Amino acid sequence: MNETISFNLEFHSLCVLGLGAMMIAHLFLVYARDTSKFSYLKRLMLFLPAYYGMLAFIIFSGILALAFNHFALNLSVVAMIIASILLIISGAKGFKALKKVRIFKDFRAFKLFMSKKIIFELVLLVVVWLLAKGF
């Protein structure tokens, strides 16, 4: 049982680091190359399932870790739950903006919005990571 718990916590931490790397990659994809081509939007649309899949891994492994700890809540667990909810909401707003840019072709506003969104997500991830590690 101890091996399962330690593996789950390592997997959870690895997925959080992976999500951070994917956020940075997402920021690079937003500013990558020519925005006038359809391939720009297609690249972003193809990236999002992997991004949300990683978020799903984090939430699932977090629920398992919470169950292993008999659903004992503390400040870091509550912060992780709130951060997960905020990341889902932020992702939905980002996807809505991506759908809107397909229609109106306002790439400048889209890039500005996505930059703010991704930086918010990165700061949120780092703050919760530091809180969970006990800093």
Side-chain angles (χ1 to χ4, degrees), residues 45-107:
M45 295 288 269
L46 290 174
F47 176 77
L48 290 178
Y51 179 79
Y52 296 126
M54 186 66 73
L55 184 58
F57 281 142
I58 291 170
I59 293 170
F60 180 71
S61 62
I63 290 170
L64 283 178
L66 190 59
F68 288 140
N69 289 326
H70 304 289
F71 297 98
L73 295 177
N74 57 29
L75 180 62
S76 64
V77 171
V78 171
M80 286 183 226
I81 292 170
I82 292 170
S84 298
I85 293 169
L86 288 175
L87 287 174
I88 292 169
I89 292 169
S90 176
K93 289 184 185 239
F95 189 73
K96 184 178 178 182
L98 183 61
K99 285 178 25 180
K100 194 186 323 183
V101 80
R102 288 176 69 183
I103 298 168
F104 298 113
K105 308 287 189 218
D106 187 10
F107 291 103

Side-chain angles (χ1 to χ4, degrees), residues 11-32:
F11 180 73
H12 186 71
S13 297
L14 184 66
C15 286
V16 170
L17 291 175
L19 185 68
M22 291 184 92
M23 285 178 185
I24 294 170
H26 192 196
L27 189 61
F28 283 124
L29 283 175
V30 167
Y31 284 99

